[in-house]
Amino acid sequence: MPDRYPPINPKCPHMLHGGDYNPDQWIETPEIWDEDMRLMRLAHCNAMTVGVFSWAQLEPEEGHYDFSWLDTIMDKLAENDAFAVLATPSAARPAWLSKKNPEILRVQPDRHKIRHGGRCNHCPTSPIYREKTQSINRALAERYRDHPALLVWHLSNEYSGECHCDLCQEAFRAWLRERYEHDLARLNHAWWTRFWSHAFTDWSQIESPGPNGENSIHGLNLDWKRFVTHQTVDFMKNEMVPLREFTPDVPVTTNFIGAEVFVGRDYWKFRDVLDVVSVDLYPHWGREEESVPDWQTALQFGFVYDMHRAMLDGKPFMLMESSPGAAFSTANSRLKRPGMHRLASLQAVAHGSDTVQYFQWRKSRGGAEKFHGAVVDHAGHENTRVFQDVAALGETLRRLDDVVGARTNAEVAVIYDWENRWAIDDVHGLRREHKDYFETCVRHYGAFWKQGVAVDVINEDADFSKYKILVAPMLYMVRPGVAERIESFVRDGGTFVATYWSGIVDESDLCFLGGFPGPLRRVLGVWAEEIDALGKDERKRVTPLPGNALGLTGTFEAVELCDLIHAESAETVAIYASDFYESHPALTRNTFGEGEAWYIAFRDRDPFLDPFYEALIKRAGIRRTLEKSLPLGVSVRVRGNGRHRFYFLLNFTDLPRNLPLGSTRLADVENGMVFETEMVLEPRAALVAVEWESRTEADPFHLGGGAKARWWDRESEGRAR
Ligand code: GAL
């Protein structure tokens, strides 16, 4: 693994700053284009995403392309030392295309065909749509292959939704034949179709699930979701053919939907195809009235960032979209409080993004998103709070050249697995409407976030061997080979943590026979016999046993789910202290080879996970970013490039926070101020500092001497913006 990754495109060895730019909405007023360029320079923007929704403007009539406006924009970007993240326009299509070829219009799960309109709603199987998208992509790639502004390809936009048309049904059946090796009996077994007399006797009888049709076969539901991912990736590969042909060196990405609610695609399946991962994230800051402090929002989005960084083994990702102003997709469009723009943007960089990009550059004059936060407001000038915040951030990003490509080294991994989530969401039983898989993973992750411990968020198929602690909350589905890999991880000295509701089904959603947690039973040393789903306000008590290995004391609360387990080879660390399962094990530890495996049988409420993981972090010898505990609401992240370690010090609270630095000495990369022993982080402060080993050693950044000499002047001298 390299100490440092190369820049996303070596043409621009800087942090990318910019956003979705829709100059085609302003074709009649080209003076606005010139004004855009002036404003981009002022805001230190160097990467603009163009052409995402431009198909009707690029191909106003079938086969008649008009690139004149895009030529001008590409040239203007290049003249202004900026680059284009050039999009393929498949997310929205011209009306003539839908009119002439209704097969490209999607059929919804209830089998109703949509009409033309909206966006992100094409059929991914339609040969006509595949041909048309490839043709326009070919024209774009051929035309701009040598253009100095071309930096990154941006495929389509947030591939999402499903199509249930006849073409997709046929493709689904073909995919199933392949998956089950043309053996219908295998499929019937995997889907357990004798249940409710659902056996298939011919492939042609199989259809996608729908609200007014089949939706009770969980194996089918799961395979359909797998197919939707497969078909999207296949569509995407088709889009890429001309891009690879004409521009093999230009990196290709597609923007993922980063919100926690997006369950429609297994993004891990895109990793073999993309050169760089990118994500759109719109955190909802300022939810104090709903009792969600900003630090909790930050923690949740930290989880999402850490997943996107882990997707390509730690390679920096792109924050492709974020709102420079008010959040839009939330119930109320709350303005970002002063300081929040810088804090939120640097959080992305802290977690491994090499870009800060926005939706959108300029507010559109009409249409559904005319009030969405933008760098340039309808007022049209730079004298707005939002513009000034963006420009100030641009100034900071200019100083972070040395952070480009820098890595995060995580010794801990938390598993969040899409297929597992799909299967859990389908479960009838437990707490039917509130399985809370995502929330549970975030809560386990949160205990590390609060301690300043770096975490990779991975899936079941990832390599576990590089971690010291592996946490797999609610690992309900265990695919073939996973339990064996967990066993060898633990045998080799790793610490594994599992929870209630693990090891229940295989990859087809068939229950393991012979006792849960199925294939994890040996490594965990427990048998989970039953699980109790509690009422909303019900609580059970959990008491650690005296002298336990983690030094846990006091009483903890179990809520919602309590697994009734038998410790087999495991030792009991804590017991239930309520109900008929009083004195049953609630927390166990199993030594296995050189390592140990923990089983948390209950869903906890704070403060259990915090002391539990704090003790485990110490026990496993995990490095924290700072030696001492962090104050609540403060996040400290480190990215290193082999030569230097950059600290991101982020205060997500409205109060000043004292941050004990221990023996770490830091110098602020923007003003050279040196911090040692302790520092104060102002409310919503976001600082980037470089570790400064010793006062006496030669100062690599010339930060000494009263901190007057600014290191970036020397380091970045002569480099283009
Ligand atoms: C994204 C989308 C953008 C824009 C944005 C608004 O999901 O990709 O085009 O609509 O939401 O927040």
Short mmCIF file of all heavy atoms in Angstrom, two decimals, residues 20 53 119 157-158 255 280 282 321 328 359 369 372, ligand 1:
data_model
loop_
_atom_site.label_atom_id
_atom_site.label_comp_id
_atom_site.label_asym_id
_atom_site.label_seq_id
_atom_site.Cartn_x
_atom_site.Cartn_y
_atom_site.Cartn_z
N ASP A 20 -21.30 21.50 -9.21
CA ASP A 20 -22.17 21.35 -10.38
C ASP A 20 -22.42 22.72 -11.01
O ASP A 20 -22.94 23.63 -10.35
CB ASP A 20 -23.50 20.73 -9.96
CG ASP A 20 -23.45 19.22 -9.91
OD1 ASP A 20 -22.37 18.68 -9.58
OD2 ASP A 20 -24.49 18.59 -10.18
N PHE A 53 -26.91 17.45 -16.73
CA PHE A 53 -28.29 17.38 -17.26
C PHE A 53 -28.39 18.14 -18.58
O PHE A 53 -29.31 18.91 -18.79
CB PHE A 53 -29.27 17.94 -16.21
CG PHE A 53 -29.24 17.16 -14.92
CD1 PHE A 53 -28.72 17.71 -13.75
CD2 PHE A 53 -29.72 15.85 -14.87
CE1 PHE A 53 -28.68 16.98 -12.57
CE2 PHE A 53 -29.68 15.11 -13.68
CZ PHE A 53 -29.17 15.67 -12.54
N ARG A 119 -36.17 12.80 -13.86
CA ARG A 119 -34.80 12.39 -14.18
C ARG A 119 -34.49 11.06 -13.50
O ARG A 119 -35.30 10.57 -12.71
CB ARG A 119 -33.81 13.45 -13.73
CG ARG A 119 -33.87 13.65 -12.23
CD ARG A 119 -32.78 14.55 -11.72
NE ARG A 119 -32.91 14.71 -10.29
CZ ARG A 119 -32.06 15.35 -9.53
NH1 ARG A 119 -30.99 15.92 -10.05
NH2 ARG A 119 -32.23 15.46 -8.24
N ASN A 157 -25.81 10.41 -13.17
CA ASN A 157 -26.01 11.07 -11.88
C ASN A 157 -26.79 10.16 -10.95
O ASN A 157 -27.91 9.74 -11.28
CB ASN A 157 -26.81 12.37 -12.05
CG ASN A 157 -26.81 13.20 -10.79
OD1 ASN A 157 -25.78 13.74 -10.39
ND2 ASN A 157 -27.95 13.31 -10.14
N GLU A 158 -26.18 9.81 -9.85
CA GLU A 158 -26.87 9.05 -8.80
C GLU A 158 -27.78 7.96 -9.36
O GLU A 158 -29.00 7.99 -9.18
CB GLU A 158 -27.66 10.00 -7.91
CG GLU A 158 -26.78 10.95 -7.14
CD GLU A 158 -27.56 11.78 -6.11
OE1 GLU A 158 -28.78 11.87 -6.22
OE2 GLU A 158 -26.92 12.34 -5.21
N ASN A 255 -21.34 9.48 -9.11
CA ASN A 255 -21.63 10.00 -7.76
C ASN A 255 -22.64 9.13 -7.03
O ASN A 255 -23.76 8.95 -7.48
CB ASN A 255 -22.08 11.47 -7.81
CG ASN A 255 -23.20 11.73 -8.80
OD1 ASN A 255 -23.38 10.99 -9.77
ND2 ASN A 255 -23.97 12.77 -8.56
N ASP A 280 -22.22 12.03 -2.75
CA ASP A 280 -22.98 13.27 -2.53
C ASP A 280 -23.54 13.22 -1.11
O ASP A 280 -24.24 12.28 -0.76
CB ASP A 280 -24.17 13.35 -3.50
CG ASP A 280 -23.73 13.31 -4.96
OD1 ASP A 280 -22.53 13.53 -5.21
OD2 ASP A 280 -24.58 13.08 -5.82
N TYR A 282 -25.44 15.44 2.10
CA TYR A 282 -26.15 16.64 2.52
C TYR A 282 -26.54 16.53 4.00
O TYR A 282 -27.71 16.34 4.32
CB TYR A 282 -27.40 16.83 1.66
CG TYR A 282 -27.08 17.13 0.22
CD1 TYR A 282 -26.93 16.12 -0.73
CD2 TYR A 282 -26.88 18.44 -0.19
CE1 TYR A 282 -26.61 16.41 -2.05
CE2 TYR A 282 -26.57 18.74 -1.51
CZ TYR A 282 -26.43 17.72 -2.43
OH TYR A 282 -26.11 18.02 -3.73
N GLU A 321 -20.84 16.23 -4.22
CA GLU A 321 -21.89 17.24 -4.00
C GLU A 321 -22.07 17.45 -2.51
O GLU A 321 -22.07 16.49 -1.73
CB GLU A 321 -23.25 16.77 -4.54
CG GLU A 321 -23.37 16.71 -6.03
CD GLU A 321 -24.77 16.25 -6.45
OE1 GLU A 321 -25.73 16.39 -5.65
OE2 GLU A 321 -24.90 15.74 -7.57
N PHE A 328 -31.43 21.13 1.51
CA PHE A 328 -32.62 21.26 0.68
C PHE A 328 -33.55 20.06 0.82
O PHE A 328 -34.76 20.17 0.80
CB PHE A 328 -32.14 21.40 -0.76
CG PHE A 328 -33.21 21.73 -1.76
CD1 PHE A 328 -33.83 22.97 -1.75
CD2 PHE A 328 -33.57 20.82 -2.73
CE1 PHE A 328 -34.80 23.29 -2.68
CE2 PHE A 328 -34.54 21.13 -3.67
CZ PHE A 328 -35.15 22.37 -3.64
N PHE A 359 -23.31 21.02 -4.86
CA PHE A 359 -24.45 21.27 -5.70
C PHE A 359 -25.05 22.50 -5.07
O PHE A 359 -25.51 22.44 -3.92
CB PHE A 359 -25.47 20.12 -5.71
CG PHE A 359 -26.60 20.45 -6.63
CD1 PHE A 359 -26.52 20.11 -7.97
CD2 PHE A 359 -27.70 21.18 -6.19
CE1 PHE A 359 -27.53 20.46 -8.85
CE2 PHE A 359 -28.70 21.53 -7.07
CZ PHE A 359 -28.62 21.18 -8.39
N GLU A 369 -35.22 23.27 -8.32
CA GLU A 369 -34.11 23.49 -7.39
C GLU A 369 -33.65 24.94 -7.35
O GLU A 369 -32.51 25.23 -6.99
CB GLU A 369 -32.96 22.54 -7.74
CG GLU A 369 -33.39 21.10 -7.55
CD GLU A 369 -32.29 20.07 -7.74
OE1 GLU A 369 -31.48 20.26 -8.67
OE2 GLU A 369 -32.25 19.08 -6.99
N HIS A 372 -32.30 25.95 -4.00
CA HIS A 372 -31.27 25.09 -3.38
C HIS A 372 -30.01 25.92 -3.12
O HIS A 372 -29.64 26.75 -3.94
CB HIS A 372 -30.96 23.94 -4.32
CG HIS A 372 -30.13 22.85 -3.69
ND1 HIS A 372 -28.82 23.04 -3.33
CD2 HIS A 372 -30.44 21.58 -3.36
CE1 HIS A 372 -28.36 21.92 -2.80
NE2 HIS A 372 -29.32 21.01 -2.82
C1 GAL B 1 -28.59 15.34 -5.57
C2 GAL B 1 -28.56 15.41 -7.09
C3 GAL B 1 -28.37 16.84 -7.57
C4 GAL B 1 -29.30 17.77 -6.84
C5 GAL B 1 -29.11 17.62 -5.36
C6 GAL B 1 -29.99 18.52 -4.54
O1 GAL B 1 -29.13 14.14 -5.12
O2 GAL B 1 -27.53 14.61 -7.61
O3 GAL B 1 -28.57 16.89 -8.96
O4 GAL B 1 -30.61 17.48 -7.18
O5 GAL B 1 -29.40 16.29 -4.98
O6 GAL B 1 -29.71 18.39 -3.17
#
